[in-house]
Short mmCIF file of all heavy atoms in Angstrom, two decimals:
data_model
loop_
_atom_site.label_atom_id
_atom_site.label_comp_id
_atom_site.label_asym_id
_atom_site.label_seq_id
_atom_site.Cartn_x
_atom_site.Cartn_y
_atom_site.Cartn_z
N ARG A 1 34.15 -17.62 -13.31
CA ARG A 1 34.71 -16.86 -14.42
C ARG A 1 34.50 -15.36 -14.22
O ARG A 1 35.41 -14.55 -14.43
CB ARG A 1 34.07 -17.33 -15.72
CG ARG A 1 34.69 -16.74 -16.98
CD ARG A 1 33.99 -17.29 -18.21
NE ARG A 1 34.05 -18.75 -18.21
CZ ARG A 1 33.04 -19.54 -18.60
NH1 ARG A 1 31.89 -18.99 -18.99
NH2 ARG A 1 33.18 -20.84 -18.59
N ASN A 2 33.30 -14.99 -13.80
CA ASN A 2 33.01 -13.57 -13.62
C ASN A 2 33.79 -12.97 -12.45
O ASN A 2 34.29 -11.85 -12.52
CB ASN A 2 31.51 -13.37 -13.40
CG ASN A 2 30.69 -13.67 -14.64
OD1 ASN A 2 31.18 -13.54 -15.76
ND2 ASN A 2 29.45 -14.07 -14.45
N ILE A 3 33.88 -13.74 -11.36
CA ILE A 3 34.62 -13.24 -10.20
C ILE A 3 36.09 -13.06 -10.54
O ILE A 3 36.73 -12.07 -10.15
CB ILE A 3 34.43 -14.19 -8.99
CG1 ILE A 3 32.98 -14.11 -8.49
CG2 ILE A 3 35.40 -13.84 -7.87
CD1 ILE A 3 32.62 -15.16 -7.46
N ALA A 4 36.64 -13.99 -11.32
CA ALA A 4 38.04 -13.87 -11.75
C ALA A 4 38.25 -12.59 -12.55
O ALA A 4 39.25 -11.88 -12.38
CB ALA A 4 38.43 -15.09 -12.58
N ALA A 5 37.29 -12.27 -13.41
CA ALA A 5 37.40 -11.06 -14.22
C ALA A 5 37.35 -9.81 -13.34
O ALA A 5 38.11 -8.85 -13.55
CB ALA A 5 36.28 -11.02 -15.26
N HIS A 6 36.46 -9.82 -12.33
CA HIS A 6 36.40 -8.68 -11.41
C HIS A 6 37.72 -8.51 -10.67
O HIS A 6 38.20 -7.38 -10.49
CB HIS A 6 35.26 -8.87 -10.40
CG HIS A 6 33.90 -8.90 -11.00
ND1 HIS A 6 33.47 -8.00 -11.95
CD2 HIS A 6 32.83 -9.72 -10.77
CE1 HIS A 6 32.22 -8.27 -12.29
NE2 HIS A 6 31.81 -9.31 -11.58
N ILE A 7 38.30 -9.61 -10.22
CA ILE A 7 39.56 -9.53 -9.46
C ILE A 7 40.68 -9.00 -10.35
O ILE A 7 41.45 -8.12 -9.95
CB ILE A 7 39.91 -10.92 -8.89
CG1 ILE A 7 38.92 -11.29 -7.78
CG2 ILE A 7 41.35 -10.93 -8.35
CD1 ILE A 7 39.06 -12.70 -7.27
N GLU A 8 40.76 -9.52 -11.58
CA GLU A 8 41.82 -9.06 -12.48
C GLU A 8 41.67 -7.58 -12.83
O GLU A 8 42.66 -6.86 -12.95
CB GLU A 8 41.81 -9.90 -13.76
CG GLU A 8 42.31 -11.33 -13.55
CD GLU A 8 42.32 -12.13 -14.84
OE1 GLU A 8 41.61 -11.77 -15.79
OE2 GLU A 8 43.07 -13.12 -14.89
N ARG A 9 40.45 -7.14 -12.96
CA ARG A 9 40.21 -5.75 -13.38
C ARG A 9 40.30 -4.77 -12.22
O ARG A 9 40.82 -3.66 -12.37
CB ARG A 9 38.84 -5.64 -14.05
CG ARG A 9 38.52 -4.25 -14.60
CD ARG A 9 37.14 -4.18 -15.22
NE ARG A 9 36.10 -4.43 -14.22
CZ ARG A 9 35.31 -5.50 -14.23
NH1 ARG A 9 35.43 -6.43 -15.18
NH2 ARG A 9 34.39 -5.67 -13.30
N ASP A 10 39.79 -5.15 -11.04
CA ASP A 10 39.58 -4.15 -9.98
C ASP A 10 40.25 -4.45 -8.64
O ASP A 10 40.21 -3.59 -7.75
CB ASP A 10 38.07 -4.00 -9.72
CG ASP A 10 37.33 -3.45 -10.93
OD1 ASP A 10 37.76 -2.40 -11.45
OD2 ASP A 10 36.35 -4.06 -11.35
N VAL A 11 40.85 -5.63 -8.48
CA VAL A 11 41.34 -6.00 -7.15
C VAL A 11 42.85 -6.10 -7.07
O VAL A 11 43.43 -5.90 -6.00
CB VAL A 11 40.69 -7.34 -6.69
CG1 VAL A 11 41.26 -7.81 -5.35
CG2 VAL A 11 39.18 -7.20 -6.61
N LEU A 12 43.51 -6.36 -8.19
CA LEU A 12 44.95 -6.63 -8.13
C LEU A 12 45.75 -5.46 -7.56
O LEU A 12 46.84 -5.67 -7.02
CB LEU A 12 45.48 -6.99 -9.53
CG LEU A 12 44.93 -8.30 -10.12
CD1 LEU A 12 45.56 -8.58 -11.47
CD2 LEU A 12 45.18 -9.48 -9.15
N ASP A 13 45.21 -4.25 -7.67
CA ASP A 13 45.95 -3.10 -7.15
C ASP A 13 45.52 -2.71 -5.73
O ASP A 13 46.00 -1.71 -5.18
CB ASP A 13 45.76 -1.89 -8.07
CG ASP A 13 44.31 -1.44 -8.16
OD1 ASP A 13 43.43 -2.24 -7.79
OD2 ASP A 13 44.06 -0.30 -8.59
N LYS A 14 44.64 -3.50 -5.12
CA LYS A 14 44.14 -3.16 -3.79
C LYS A 14 45.15 -3.56 -2.72
O LYS A 14 45.73 -4.65 -2.77
CB LYS A 14 42.80 -3.85 -3.52
CG LYS A 14 41.66 -3.38 -4.42
CD LYS A 14 41.25 -1.96 -4.12
CE LYS A 14 39.98 -1.57 -4.86
NZ LYS A 14 40.15 -1.46 -6.31
N PRO A 15 45.38 -2.73 -1.68
CA PRO A 15 46.28 -3.09 -0.59
C PRO A 15 45.64 -4.10 0.35
O PRO A 15 44.42 -4.30 0.33
CB PRO A 15 46.51 -1.75 0.11
CG PRO A 15 45.24 -0.99 -0.13
CD PRO A 15 44.79 -1.38 -1.51
N ARG A 16 46.42 -4.69 1.20
CA ARG A 16 45.91 -5.68 2.15
C ARG A 16 44.84 -5.08 3.06
O ARG A 16 43.93 -5.78 3.50
CB ARG A 16 47.06 -6.23 2.99
CG ARG A 16 46.65 -7.31 3.99
CD ARG A 16 47.84 -7.75 4.83
NE ARG A 16 48.83 -8.41 4.00
CZ ARG A 16 48.83 -9.73 3.73
NH1 ARG A 16 47.85 -10.49 4.21
NH2 ARG A 16 49.75 -10.26 2.99
N GLN A 17 44.91 -3.78 3.32
CA GLN A 17 43.98 -3.14 4.25
C GLN A 17 42.61 -2.84 3.63
O GLN A 17 41.71 -2.36 4.33
CB GLN A 17 44.59 -1.83 4.77
CG GLN A 17 45.86 -2.00 5.60
CD GLN A 17 47.08 -2.30 4.73
OE1 GLN A 17 47.11 -1.94 3.54
NE2 GLN A 17 48.08 -2.95 5.32
N TRP A 18 42.45 -3.10 2.36
CA TRP A 18 41.18 -2.81 1.66
C TRP A 18 40.03 -3.57 2.33
O TRP A 18 40.12 -4.76 2.59
CB TRP A 18 41.31 -3.23 0.20
CG TRP A 18 40.10 -2.99 -0.66
CD1 TRP A 18 39.48 -1.81 -0.90
CD2 TRP A 18 39.39 -3.99 -1.41
NE1 TRP A 18 38.42 -1.99 -1.77
CE2 TRP A 18 38.33 -3.32 -2.10
CE3 TRP A 18 39.52 -5.36 -1.58
CZ2 TRP A 18 37.43 -3.98 -2.93
CZ3 TRP A 18 38.64 -6.02 -2.42
CH2 TRP A 18 37.61 -5.34 -3.07
N LYS A 19 38.93 -2.83 2.60
CA LYS A 19 37.79 -3.42 3.32
C LYS A 19 36.52 -3.26 2.47
O LYS A 19 35.91 -2.19 2.48
CB LYS A 19 37.61 -2.75 4.68
CG LYS A 19 38.74 -2.97 5.65
CD LYS A 19 38.42 -2.39 7.02
CE LYS A 19 38.25 -0.88 6.96
NZ LYS A 19 37.98 -0.31 8.32
N PRO A 20 36.11 -4.29 1.76
CA PRO A 20 34.87 -4.21 0.99
C PRO A 20 33.65 -4.71 1.78
O PRO A 20 33.76 -5.57 2.66
CB PRO A 20 35.14 -5.14 -0.19
CG PRO A 20 36.05 -6.20 0.37
CD PRO A 20 36.88 -5.52 1.44
N LEU A 21 32.50 -4.11 1.44
CA LEU A 21 31.20 -4.57 1.94
C LEU A 21 30.47 -5.15 0.74
O LEU A 21 30.33 -4.49 -0.30
CB LEU A 21 30.42 -3.41 2.53
CG LEU A 21 28.99 -3.71 3.02
CD1 LEU A 21 29.03 -4.62 4.24
CD2 LEU A 21 28.26 -2.41 3.35
N VAL A 22 29.98 -6.39 0.87
CA VAL A 22 29.42 -7.11 -0.28
C VAL A 22 27.99 -7.53 0.03
O VAL A 22 27.66 -7.88 1.18
CB VAL A 22 30.28 -8.36 -0.60
CG1 VAL A 22 29.77 -9.06 -1.86
CG2 VAL A 22 31.75 -7.96 -0.79
N TYR A 23 27.14 -7.52 -0.99
CA TYR A 23 25.78 -8.03 -0.82
C TYR A 23 25.23 -8.49 -2.16
O TYR A 23 25.72 -8.09 -3.23
CB TYR A 23 24.86 -6.95 -0.23
CG TYR A 23 24.58 -5.78 -1.16
CD1 TYR A 23 23.46 -5.78 -2.00
CD2 TYR A 23 25.44 -4.69 -1.22
CE1 TYR A 23 23.21 -4.72 -2.85
CE2 TYR A 23 25.19 -3.62 -2.07
CZ TYR A 23 24.08 -3.64 -2.89
OH TYR A 23 23.84 -2.60 -3.75
N CYS A 24 24.21 -9.34 -2.11
CA CYS A 24 23.43 -9.70 -3.30
C CYS A 24 21.97 -9.58 -2.90
O CYS A 24 21.60 -8.75 -2.07
CB CYS A 24 23.81 -11.08 -3.83
SG CYS A 24 23.55 -12.46 -2.69
N TRP A 25 21.09 -10.39 -3.49
CA TRP A 25 19.66 -10.23 -3.22
C TRP A 25 19.31 -10.59 -1.77
O TRP A 25 18.68 -9.83 -1.05
CB TRP A 25 18.85 -11.07 -4.20
CG TRP A 25 17.38 -11.16 -3.87
CD1 TRP A 25 16.67 -12.29 -3.64
CD2 TRP A 25 16.45 -10.08 -3.75
NE1 TRP A 25 15.35 -11.99 -3.37
CE2 TRP A 25 15.19 -10.63 -3.44
CE3 TRP A 25 16.55 -8.69 -3.86
CZ2 TRP A 25 14.05 -9.85 -3.24
CZ3 TRP A 25 15.42 -7.91 -3.67
CH2 TRP A 25 14.18 -8.50 -3.36
N ARG A 26 19.75 -11.77 -1.32
CA ARG A 26 19.45 -12.20 0.05
C ARG A 26 20.69 -12.61 0.83
O ARG A 26 20.60 -13.30 1.84
CB ARG A 26 18.44 -13.35 0.03
CG ARG A 26 17.04 -12.91 -0.33
CD ARG A 26 16.04 -14.04 -0.23
NE ARG A 26 16.29 -15.09 -1.22
CZ ARG A 26 15.48 -16.10 -1.46
NH1 ARG A 26 14.36 -16.22 -0.77
NH2 ARG A 26 15.77 -17.01 -2.38
N GLY A 27 21.85 -12.20 0.35
CA GLY A 27 23.09 -12.53 1.07
C GLY A 27 23.47 -13.98 0.93
O GLY A 27 24.13 -14.54 1.82
N GLY A 28 23.12 -14.60 -0.19
CA GLY A 28 23.36 -16.03 -0.37
C GLY A 28 24.51 -16.35 -1.29
O GLY A 28 25.63 -15.86 -1.10
N ASN A 29 24.22 -17.15 -2.33
CA ASN A 29 25.28 -17.72 -3.15
C ASN A 29 26.11 -16.69 -3.89
O ASN A 29 27.35 -16.79 -3.93
CB ASN A 29 24.68 -18.70 -4.17
CG ASN A 29 24.08 -19.92 -3.50
OD1 ASN A 29 24.49 -20.28 -2.41
ND2 ASN A 29 23.12 -20.56 -4.15
N ARG A 30 25.47 -15.68 -4.49
CA ARG A 30 26.23 -14.77 -5.35
C ARG A 30 27.22 -13.92 -4.56
O ARG A 30 28.40 -13.85 -4.90
CB ARG A 30 25.28 -13.90 -6.16
CG ARG A 30 24.53 -14.67 -7.24
CD ARG A 30 23.63 -13.75 -8.06
NE ARG A 30 22.44 -13.34 -7.31
CZ ARG A 30 21.56 -12.44 -7.76
NH1 ARG A 30 21.77 -11.85 -8.93
NH2 ARG A 30 20.49 -12.12 -7.05
N SER A 31 26.75 -13.28 -3.51
CA SER A 31 27.67 -12.48 -2.71
C SER A 31 28.58 -13.37 -1.87
O SER A 31 29.75 -13.03 -1.63
CB SER A 31 26.90 -11.52 -1.79
OG SER A 31 26.02 -12.23 -0.95
N GLY A 32 28.05 -14.53 -1.45
CA GLY A 32 28.87 -15.45 -0.65
C GLY A 32 30.07 -15.95 -1.41
O GLY A 32 31.18 -16.04 -0.86
#
């Protein structure tokens, strides 16, 4: 649910070339 909200708010206008770097506490479930 939260990821869907992030995508609707911040990702729909991103071009195909957009390159994000993602992390959480230990690189596990949340960022994965």
